[in-house]
Amino acid sequence: MTTSTSLQASAATSSAADTARPAAHSEQDFPSLPSRTGGRYARLPLLAGRGFIPLGLFARLPLAMLTVGALTLVTAVTGSYAVGGAAAGAVGIGSALGAPVLGAWADRMGQRPVLLFAAIFNTAAVAALILTAYLVPSGRDLADAVPVLAAGFVAGASCPQVGPLARVRWMALTARGSKAGNAQDLDAALSYESTADELTFVLGPALVGILASLIAPWLPLALAAALTITLVPAFAVHRTHRAVPLSVRRRRGTSPAAGPAAAGSPAAGSRGAGMAAVALPVLAMVCMGTFFGSTQTGLSAFSAGFATAEIAGLLYAVMGLSSAAAALSVAYWPQRFTLSARWMVSAVLMAGLAVLLLLPASALPMVLVLLVLGLPVGPLMVTVFAIGGVVAPAGRLGTVMTALASGIVAGTALGSSIAGQLAQHQGYSAAFLVPVCAAAALFLLGAAAAVVIRQRRKATPAAAE
């Protein structure tokens, strides 16, 4: 039995225990589904409601616009790339540090109040970022930009974590029904979520560029604030949030969305082992972000040699689109292809295909390389998020999901920094060695995760079998 199926086995057991307790809204809001209705993705609206999918897609768009929007606005106002880059870095650092905090609060208090608070606070923070940007004098002095850097940090730290918390809801919603149906529905939901992330992180920067160049540099951030204050509250109060308290916030018994750690691991012992198990997918997401950031920076240096650095965004979008399409295919992969095997195979392919980045000397061959390189990226992201759900401790699923998302943000900054230094002094070929190393590190982490998951299954046979 796969680790994904074992997650659902523990989920089904604890769900039955929970439904035995008074929970009037569980049956009314989430009635039982037919055994298999329609295709894999056709079942998702039946699980969550038709409005949940578009709502969750567009409610996460402001997060994809915030970093690039801050870079664009502050650079345009101050005329300094250094100040603009520092502002974008402040947003990224704030997001990386703030996301797990918001996730932990959501675990303790429920998603609805935390998202409502974050929506209001973040809208005010983005408005403050716009205002302080115009108060920074032109020039290259970072000391004068402290207010805008502080505003950027607060805006990043308070940005609602719609994507990770949507994954928490899907894990709770799919923890009902037959074991096989659960595993297939969860694969479909996580595949969709990774595709949604890819699409928004392609669409967000593109939207920022269009609005800033055609109308005004402040408009993308203003639009992000408007989307946050309207769509995030709607996501917060959507009926799917009611599924999470039944499965994640239980302090007694088993949590169906929290994975086998909740189902069978000892409450007092092996806490360190549990933390180590969570650290592996978090480190993997740091490596994934390093892969993304270094690839973006390397493409900027590559494209500057024959065109302009701005074309790098279009080249990178090619990899994002193929990655999104490949992520959707994971829902149809056989369940006997375990999560650990998916992780290692995808990482090997990423490392091997990343070497091809060193070969092209013009745009068209690079497009073909990026198109192929994106194919293992999406499935690996789906897999790491799924393993994060498997190893998450009871009542900490929101914390783990947001920590995984933060790992991508932190890794992107790290990869951009390292690849930027290499590109500056050694050329773009040296920068492209960073994604190769990041993919190799992903394979090693996958091998370690396979060992940890195997040990957990032996230690908790009831949850794994």
Side-chain angles (χ1 to χ4, degrees):
M1 177 178 292
T2 68
T3 52
S4 177
T5 305
S6 68
L7 166 63
Q8 302 305 328
S10 64
T13 302
S14 57
S15 179
D18 282 340
T19 53
R21 303 185 180 113
H25 64 264
S26 62
E27 291 299 326
Q28 295 172 1
D29 292 333
F30 308 104
S32 299
L33 294 176
S35 57
R36 296 307 300 169
T37 304
R40 300 283 173 88
Y41 291 101
R43 285 175 56 84
L44 297 185
L46 300 178
L47 282 167
R50 295 186 181 278
F52 181 70
I53 291 178
L55 181 59
L57 175 64
F58 290 105
R60 78 187 71 194
L61 188 58
L63 179 61
M65 300 172 63
L66 193 54
T67 302
V68 180
L71 172 65
T72 303
L73 172 63
V74 177
T75 300
V77 171
T78 64
S80 170
Y81 286 105
V83 177
V91 172
I93 293 171
S95 178
L97 296 177
V101 175
L102 293 176
W105 287 352
D107 285 334
R108 293 190 180 99
M109 297 180 286
Q111 290 191 12
R112 181 171 62 176
V114 173
L115 285 169
L116 290 174
F117 168 79
I120 297 171
F121 191 88
N122 183 252
T123 300
V126 173
L129 175 59
I130 297 173
L131 293 176
T132 54
Y134 282 96
L135 297 177
V136 176
S138 299
R140 300 178 180 274
D141 190 357
L142 284 176
D144 294 330
V146 170
V148 75
L149 297 183
F153 178 86
V154 174
S158 61
C159 195
Q161 298 297 312
V162 173
L165 295 182
R167 286 181 170 90
V168 175
R169 296 190 188 188
W170 284 119
M171 289 180 179
L173 290 169
T174 56
R176 299 177 296 124
S178 66
K179 298 176 184 178
N182 286 344
Q184 293 174 356
D185 289 340
L186 182 59
D187 277 345
L190 295 181
S191 298
Y192 159 73
E193 285 295 321
S194 292
T195 301
D197 285 342
E198 294 278 4
L199 292 177
T200 54
F201 278 96
V202 170
L203 177 61
L207 192 58
V208 169
I210 292 172
L211 294 176
S213 60
L214 296 182
I215 303 178
W218 56 265
L219 186 58
L221 287 179
L223 177 61
L227 291 173
T228 296
I229 199 61
T230 54
L231 296 183
V232 173
F235 177 84
V237 301
H238 190 274
R239 66 184 179 90
T240 50
H241 83 89
R242 300 173 186 169
V244 178
L246 289 176
S247 56
V248 174
R249 293 176 64 207
R250 295 286 186 188
R251 290 293 179 262
R252 297 177 181 177
T254 304
S255 167
S265 60
S270 68
R271 183 166 183 173
M275 293 300 295
V278 171
L280 288 172
V282 172
L283 288 175
M285 283 308 191
V286 173
C287 292
M288 183 69 75
T290 302
F291 179 89
F292 292 150
S294 58
T295 301
Q296 287 175 318
T297 303
L299 288 174
S300 295
F302 168 80
S303 59
F306 60 88
T308 60
E310 285 74 13
I311 199 176
L314 297 177
L315 292 174
Y316 187 75
V318 173
M319 188 178 75
L321 293 175
S322 63
S323 173
L328 288 175
S329 72
V330 175
Y332 300 95
W333 290 10
Q335 292 300 308
R336 62 180 179 273
F337 190 16
T338 65
L339 293 177
S340 300
R342 295 180 190 182
W343 183 335
M344 289 187 288
V345 169
S346 297
V348 166
L349 290 175
M350 279 179 61
L353 294 173
V355 175
L356 299 179
L357 291 170
L358 302 171
L359 302 180
S362 59
L364 182 57
M366 182 60 78
V367 167
L368 297 177
V369 169
L370 292 169
L371 190 65
V372 177
L373 178 58
L375 296 178
V377 173
L380 183 53
M381 287 189 65
V382 173
T383 301
V384 175
F385 272 113
I387 287 183
V390 170
V391 300
R396 293 292 182 266
L397 187 57
T399 307
V400 172
M401 290 295 109
T402 49
L404 293 177
S406 293
I408 296 178
V409 175
T412 300
L414 177 64
S416 297
S417 176
I418 296 174
Q421 291 295 321
L422 291 174
Q424 179 70 28
H425 299 290
Q426 306 293 333
Y428 69 82
S429 295
F432 282 141
L433 292 176
V434 181
V436 176
C437 294
L442 278 167
F443 173 78
L444 296 178
L445 289 170
V451 173
V452 169
I453 291 174
R454 189 179 302 113
Q455 291 176 344
R456 289 166 66 88
R457 291 178 64 191
K458 290 178 180 178
T460 58
E465 302 296 335

